[in-house]
Amino acid sequence: MCKEKTLAQIGQLQSAMRDIQSAANQEQKSSMGDKYETGRAMMQQEQDKLAGQLEDATKRMRLLEQINPIQVHSVVGVGSLVITNQARYFIATSMGQLNWEGESYFIVSLASPIGQVLKEKKSGDEVIFNNRTLIIKDLA
């Protein structure tokens, strides 16, 4: 699910970058003077922003590809599925909340605040996060 979402995002970003390049090429053919320079600068800023987002998405995809989905974890680390008494977490890269097969999962990085609290914990451990006690019920 995470890979599919990331691949879709990469495709959208690449498409948006192509659209901006096409618009820039059209602008070059039909405009002159200050208007042309301002429009060109705005398109370049947008293209730079999209390029940064594409780089981030590509890094996320590389990390996701390194995760072995059948590996069972004895302690929480990258690739762990952590089931607590309050929520389900997949430790990978920060992607927010996803729903899969009727269940809600928080896709978080190990560097996130909750990732740091869960890091290297085992099934049965208790942790405190945001003044709430989380009990790790299962770890895969």
Side-chain angles (χ1 to χ4, degrees), residues 45-102:
Q45 287 176 347
E46 183 65 18
Q47 196 165 27
D48 291 346
K49 181 179 93 174
L50 291 172
Q53 292 173 352
L54 180 59
E55 182 179 344
D56 290 345
T58 303
K59 285 179 185 176
R60 281 195 310 272
M61 190 64 195
R62 279 195 299 265
L63 182 129
L64 290 169
E65 287 174 339
Q66 293 175 0
I67 295 173
N68 180 353
I70 60 172
Q71 179 181 0
V72 176
H73 296 260
S74 58
V75 296
V76 176
V78 174
S80 296
L81 176 60
V82 184
I83 311 295
T84 73
N85 60 320
Q86 302 211 5
R88 298 167 187 270
Y89 300 94
F90 180 59
I91 310 298
T93 181
S94 296
M95 294 181 72
Q97 186 175 353
L98 293 176
N99 292 311
W100 185 61
E101 295 186 354

Side-chain angles (χ1 to χ4, degrees), residues 4-132:
E4 290 85 2
K5 183 176 179 178
T6 303
L7 279 174
Q9 184 181 28
I10 288 171
Q12 291 168 347
L13 290 166
Q14 289 171 333
S15 178
M17 288 181 71
R18 282 191 301 273
D19 291 347
I20 288 174
Q21 185 60 51
S22 177
N25 292 343
Q26 292 300 318
E27 182 80 13
Q28 183 176 15
K29 294 174 185 174
S30 63
S31 297
M32 298 170 34
D34 290 341
K35 179 181 166 195
Y36 166 74
E37 291 301 325
T38 301
R40 191 94 167 133
M42 289 174 61
M43 283 186 242
Q44 184 61 49
Q45 287 176 347
E46 183 65 18
Q47 196 165 27
D48 291 346
K49 181 179 93 174
L50 291 172
Q53 292 173 352
L54 180 59
E55 182 179 344
D56 290 345
T58 303
K59 285 179 185 176
R60 281 195 310 272
M61 190 64 195
R62 279 195 299 265
L63 182 129
L64 290 169
E65 287 174 339
Q66 293 175 0
I67 295 173
N68 180 353
I70 60 172
Q71 179 181 0
V72 176
H73 296 260
S74 58
V75 296
V76 176
V78 174
S80 296
L81 176 60
V82 184
I83 311 295
T84 73
N85 60 320
Q86 302 211 5
R88 298 167 187 270
Y89 300 94
F90 180 59
I91 310 298
T93 181
S94 296
M95 294 181 72
Q97 186 175 353
L98 293 176
N99 292 311
W100 185 61
E101 295 186 354
E103 296 288 343
S104 182
Y105 295 84
F106 293 95
I107 315 305
V108 299
S109 77
L110 202 55
S112 70
I114 186 67
Q116 286 295 294
V117 169
L118 293 171
K119 183 179 181 179
E120 298 182 5
K121 299 296 186 228
K122 300 178 294 230
S123 187
D125 285 353
E126 290 185 16
V127 298
I128 306 239
F129 183 69
N130 286 343
N131 296 320
R132 295 182 315 178

